[in-house]
Amino acid sequence: MWTIIHKMGSPPWFFRISGVLVRWLLPITVMLLVCGALWGLLVAPPDFRQGNSYRIIYIHVPSAVVALAGYYVMAFAGAVSLIWRIKMADVTMRAAAPVGAVLTAIALVTGAIWGKPTWGTWWVWDARITSMLILLFLYLGVVALFEAYENKTAAARACAVLSLVGTVNIPIIYKSVDWWYSLHQPASIKFTGESAIDASMLYPLLLMIVAFYCLFAVAVLLNMRAELTWQHREAGWLRQIVSGA
Amino acid sequence: MSYSKTSIWQPMSSEVASLSIWGAFARQFMRHCKSLVGSPADAINPLLFFFMVVTLFPLGLGPDPQRLAGMAPGILWVVALLSSLMVSAKLFASDYEDGSLEQLAMAPYPLAVLVMGEVAAHWIATGVLLALVSPVFATMLGLSSAALPTLVASLMLGTLSLTLIGAVGSALTVSIRRGGLLLSLLIIPLNVPVLIFGTTAVSEAVIDGNTVSWLALLGGLALGSLALLPLAIGAALRVSLDN
Amino acid sequence: MYFESLAAAWYMDGHGFYVWLAYALTAIPLCFMVWLPLKRMRQHWRWIQAEQRRQAAATATEAGI
């Protein structure tokens, strides 16, 4: 266990492994995304109530799911960095924050576009949309806090504290927003009931969720590699890789 | 005995080393209370802010008593949240600037405990005071008098969480120049549950509904924050001292 | 394929605008999300190569003296 953690904390090892990983994962991700999108857009049947507008679900739900999971990834990296002071965990946290923020923003924008044909307005203070908005603020807070600190080691630890507090708070926020919405639910907006989703619609959705997870991993790894290249620009092992390439 | 800010936590002082944890907490608490008595504006300004913003709502929304009464729980809670945001920006600022925070971090006691003394005094000066005065503003907005006890209770419990969350934000941003706007970005999302539970408790009280469970939720939040956030505040202050 | 023609897939019974807009607004940031770190990486790579050339030139002149 310890040897693995130590290896993961070693930049040369990580740089080599992540290079191989990205080379494989990036084409696979693109393929999964294209297949899933085409399947969802062109092959899957339309919803009997919402018609074709429901096809937005194939990007809305995956981005929302991965955005939420991304916050936990970030907070976990923050905890590792606080407890073991591993530099690589700082880099992971720093790399995951903007990716998560972009995914959250995508979930919000697609949700708003979906709302127009379904509910007739661009924005509805629906429980899930409101929770995503708050998640976006949480992400932006982490990014802004990191940028505001001059000492980047201290910045990473400050972001770790903030994201841990946020992690504990996220379930409470989700639950409270849920209750708030059920208390105030306007009569004009009918919630589509929890009906069982047909397999012909479910499979492309699952495919897209897997694709978005892969995309999150690829984007975080690429960010980490770019950051590591700059941090270790004077190091011999990196110079060797560069001149060898 | 001198209470000058920079000297009391000299780590070498034998008197300090002999205090119990509670003694250290009480000492920090008293020190902050004295500084508040010395400059009462720190406690009165948030109340004035509360008063002025409450005045803005009838001007913005129109004087219709029924509509104002319907919105009163939300207005009062949002303004309470804003005023807590405003005061928490300055919570650790003077301690950071005059170096007493550094002394505090070197004192032979857990930083979380010492900081809690300060936060407790701050909560009494702003949160409790605000809760006690709030019935006046609530009556001006036409909130039914049956809801006033719930309002006071919900603000008491809620401002405890708000103060603790605000202290985390303040500790994280104290070393940053112009951290005020950043502070609101950091802590407003974390304050959402408090706002929802508090507003709902008061709204339920107006219609004579189920207030107890919402107050219990607020109490639960306050207890949870009390258990976990002091550690976060301590860690955040140490980070800020490193920056 | 569910649709009879590409035109029908484009129109989507009137929902086409929303669906294609949502997919476009997703695709653009996702492309940037992958492209920006790659660009940064390439820049750093070039910086290191230039640095290496400069150092090699410096040692060469020293050896020449």
Side-chain angles (χ1 to χ4, degrees):
Chain A
M1 180 68 194
W2 264 111
T3 49
I4 294 176
I5 290 182
H6 265 281
K7 264 189 181 171
M8 297 247 287
S10 134
W13 185 85
F14 174 86
F15 202 83
R16 204 157 40 84
I17 295 297
S18 67
V20 178
L21 206 60
V22 164
R23 197 160 303 142
W24 282 96
L25 205 51
L26 186 58
I28 292 176
T29 307
V30 173
M31 215 175 63
L32 286 177
L33 277 174
V34 171
C35 289
L38 287 180
W39 192 352
L41 275 172
L42 301 177
V43 182
D47 185 69
F48 75 97
R49 220 173 328 178
Q50 300 187 18
N52 282 311
S53 69
Y54 98 97
R55 291 179 197 279
I56 297 175
I57 202 177
Y58 297 118
I59 43 177
H60 175 70
V61 168
S63 54
V65 167
V66 178
L68 186 57
Y71 198 89
Y72 287 98
V73 170
M74 191 178 75
F76 180 74
V80 170
S81 128
L82 270 186
I83 297 168
W84 287 297
R85 299 281 165 92
I86 296 177
K87 269 262 186 224
M88 197 62 74
D90 292 2
V91 178
T92 314
M93 193 175 60
R94 171 78 192 104
V99 177
V102 168
L103 287 174
T104 316
I106 288 177
L108 276 174
V109 170
T110 52
I113 295 175
W114 194 3
K116 182 67 182 165
T118 335
W119 293 326
T121 54
W122 292 104
W123 185 264
V124 173
W125 291 97
D126 156 75
R128 272 172 291 185
I129 296 183
T130 312
S131 310
M132 283 316 275
L133 187 61
I134 295 166
L135 185 66
L136 179 66
F137 291 152
L138 285 172
Y139 268 123
L140 292 182
V142 173
V143 175
L145 188 66
F146 195 95
E147 293 308 320
Y149 269 71
E150 274 162 32
N151 175 348
K152 290 305 172 194
T153 315
R157 279 164 58 211
C159 290
V161 172
L162 179 66
S163 55
L164 283 177
V165 173
T167 309
V168 177
N169 217 311
I170 279 182
I172 305 174
I173 292 176
Y174 270 64
K175 205 68 221 160
S176 67
V177 171
D178 219 31
W179 285 332
W180 159 80
Y181 186 68
S182 57
L183 279 173
H184 296 269
Q185 193 167 354
S188 60
I189 297 166
K190 292 275 186 295
F191 229 11
T192 47
E194 295 294 322
S195 53
I197 181 167
D198 188 68
S200 59
M201 299 177 177
L202 184 64
Y203 289 141
L205 183 59
L206 292 179
L207 182 68
M208 280 304 261
I209 291 179
V210 172
F212 268 72
Y213 269 113
C214 293
L215 183 73
F216 178 80
V218 167
V220 170
L221 285 176
L222 286 176
N223 270 327
M224 286 175 74
R225 283 169 67 79
E227 178 65 29
L228 281 176
T229 321
W230 189 243
Q231 277 181 12
H232 295 269
R233 59 189 182 277
E234 312 282 357
W237 62 266
L238 187 59
R239 299 257 159 133
Q240 262 174 10
I241 294 177
V242 172
S243 56
Chain B
M1 192 157 58
S2 121
Y3 271 99
S4 89
K5 271 191 165 180
T6 41
S7 67
I8 63 161
W9 289 114
Q10 289 293 349
M12 289 299 124
S13 154
S14 59
E15 184 210 1
V16 167
S18 64
L19 285 170
S20 72
I21 290 233
W22 280 110
F25 172 85
R27 185 171 185 146
Q28 196 61 17
F29 179 76
M30 288 312 292
R31 185 176 78 101
H32 203 74
C33 282
K34 283 194 181 174
S35 84
L36 278 167
V37 171
S39 63
D42 284 350
I44 292 175
N45 278 348
L47 290 183
L48 261 177
F49 174 80
F50 194 88
F51 192 20
M52 285 188 302
V53 178
V54 164
T55 315
L56 290 180
F57 277 93
L59 294 173
L61 296 169
D64 177 12
Q66 220 152 24
R67 190 156 70 153
L68 283 178
M71 292 182 163
I75 295 175
L76 289 165
W77 256 98
V78 168
V79 180
L81 195 151
L82 289 180
S83 87
S84 119
L85 194 70
M86 197 187 75
V87 289
S88 56
K90 285 179 289 183
L91 183 49
F92 295 117
S94 66
D95 282 356
Y96 179 77
E97 275 155 21
D98 68 12
S100 54
L101 207 56
E102 230 153 311
Q103 304 256 341
L104 215 60
M106 284 191 293
Y109 300 100
L111 185 55
V113 173
L114 297 179
V115 160
M116 277 311 290
E118 210 146 319
V119 172
H122 186 75
W123 172 59
I124 290 172
T126 57
V128 174
L129 203 60
L130 190 86
L132 292 178
V133 181
S134 64
V136 178
F137 307 133
T139 314
M140 286 171 71
L141 287 175
L143 190 74
S144 86
S145 54
L148 292 183
T150 311
L151 177 69
V152 175
S154 72
L155 278 175
M156 277 293 185
L157 290 171
T159 48
L160 186 54
S161 305
L162 291 183
T163 308
L164 281 160
I165 294 171
V168 176
S170 177
L172 283 172
T173 54
V174 73
S175 64
I176 299 167
R177 248 180 303 137
R178 285 195 293 253
L181 201 64
L182 182 61
L183 178 79
S184 28
L185 178 62
L186 298 189
I187 66 181
I188 282 180
L190 300 175
N191 281 339
V192 166
V194 184
L195 175 70
I196 290 176
F197 294 158
T199 318
T200 316
V202 181
S203 306
E204 289 282 308
V206 172
I207 56 170
D208 208 17
N210 174 14
T211 57
V212 178
S213 53
W214 295 100
L215 286 178
L217 281 170
L218 273 179
L221 274 186
L223 280 180
S225 318
L226 216 47
L228 296 176
L229 291 184
L231 293 171
I233 299 169
L237 283 177
R238 286 192 197 280
V239 172
S240 282
L241 287 173
D242 279 354
N243 188 31
Chain C
M1 184 156 134
Y2 166 76
F3 295 100
E4 282 167 4
S5 64
L6 275 180
W10 181 249
Y11 184 60
M12 281 194 181
D13 303 324
H15 287 155
F17 169 70
Y18 302 109
V19 175
W20 291 107
L21 179 67
Y23 275 78
L25 287 185
T26 306
I28 295 166
L30 290 189
C31 289
F32 269 95
M33 214 162 79
V34 173
W35 181 66
L36 282 180
L38 282 174
K39 196 185 94 178
R40 247 183 84 205
M41 181 88 173
R42 211 163 40 234
Q43 280 173 349
H44 298 167
W45 211 261
R46 286 215 194 94
W47 186 91
I48 292 172
Q49 279 172 341
E51 187 76 5
Q52 273 174 334
R53 272 197 300 274
R54 201 163 59 231
Q55 274 173 7
T59 43
T61 45
E62 255 173 53
I65 292 165

